[in-house]
Every structure is written in C-alpha cells, then in structure tokens.
Amino acid sequence: MPTRPPKHRPHGRAGAAYAPPARDRQADRALPTNSTPWLRLRAKVLAASPLCVSCQALGRIKPATHVDHVDGDSRNNELTNLQGLCAQCHNAKTAREDGGFGNRRRNPVVPKMERKLIK
C-alpha cells in the first residue's frame, strides 16, 4: 500500500519571527467590548441613533450596527463622543485613523492632559 509523502512541519510557530507584535486593544479601553456596561452603553447609543451618521451625511439610509468613538479615544465613553455607524463606514474610519490596510496612522490618541496643552 502506498504511503503519503511527509508534510513539512517547521519547528515552532510558522511565521512567528516575522509577525509584528500584537497590540492589546482591549487593554487601552475604559470598558472592554464584552463587558455588561459597554453592551448597555452600546444599546443606548444605537437606540438613540439607529441610522449610520456617515451614510446620512451622504444622503444614504443604512442601519447603524457599530458604535464609534468620534475622537478616536476608546477611554472617552461620554454619549457626546459616541456615534452609530454601519460596518463599512466604521471599518473605513478605523483604517484611516489607526493605520489599517497599509495606511499610516493619522490621529494618534493623545491623553486629555496633553490635548489641553496642544490647543
């Protein structure tokens, strides 16, 4: 009976030496996205603005499925800083701000104390 040729299995994790260090986004947040307080706040924001803010500005009507921090600071959970966006608009805004899809990071999050000094 024929046998299969052996599979190449490199030692250690494949590509681990080339992977950039992972950023723990949950550690930067005031409320983790799976916590009950965040889920309640998220439901409150989506109930207040059920349509995507960016799409409405362009004359489109799309339901909001994501809650976005307007200033990009995930530690600032004031209602005035949260807005409802559709998945497409939220992904595009996050990629622009956080440097996703090969873009450079444009708006680094600056702590409130430093923001007052910058203005």
Side-chain angles (χ1 to χ4, degrees), residues 41-42 44-45 48 68 70 76-83:
L41 184 60
R42 179 184 183 278
K44 190 175 185 177
V45 171
D68 177 62
V70 176
N76 182 4
N77 288 324
E78 297 176 17
L79 285 176
T80 56
N81 186 42
L82 299 174
Q83 65 182 352

Side-chain angles (χ1 to χ4, degrees), residues 17-99:
Y18 303 107
R23 191 175 114 203
D24 187 10
R25 294 175 58 103
Q26 292 294 330
D28 294 341
R29 296 181 159 278
L31 297 172
T33 54
N34 61 349
S35 68
T36 301
W38 170 254
L39 294 175
R40 286 184 183 149
L41 184 60
R42 179 184 183 278
K44 190 175 185 177
V45 171
L46 292 178
S49 62
L51 298 177
C52 175
V53 175
S54 294
C55 288
Q56 276 185 320
L58 298 173
R60 297 182 294 206
I61 298 175
K62 261 181 124 173
T65 56
H66 289 66
V67 174
D68 177 62
H69 292 84
V70 176
D71 66 358
D73 184 4
S74 61
R75 294 177 299 265
N76 182 4
N77 288 324
E78 297 176 17
L79 285 176
T80 56
N81 186 42
L82 299 174
Q83 65 182 352
L85 294 177
C86 65
Q88 184 178 6
C89 292
H90 184 263
N91 293 342
K93 182 178 183 284
T94 303
R96 274 194 313 271
E97 291 178 355
D98 291 350

Side-chain angles (χ1 to χ4, degrees), residues 9-20 22:
R9 293 189 173 98
H11 297 288
R13 291 185 354 214
Y18 303 107

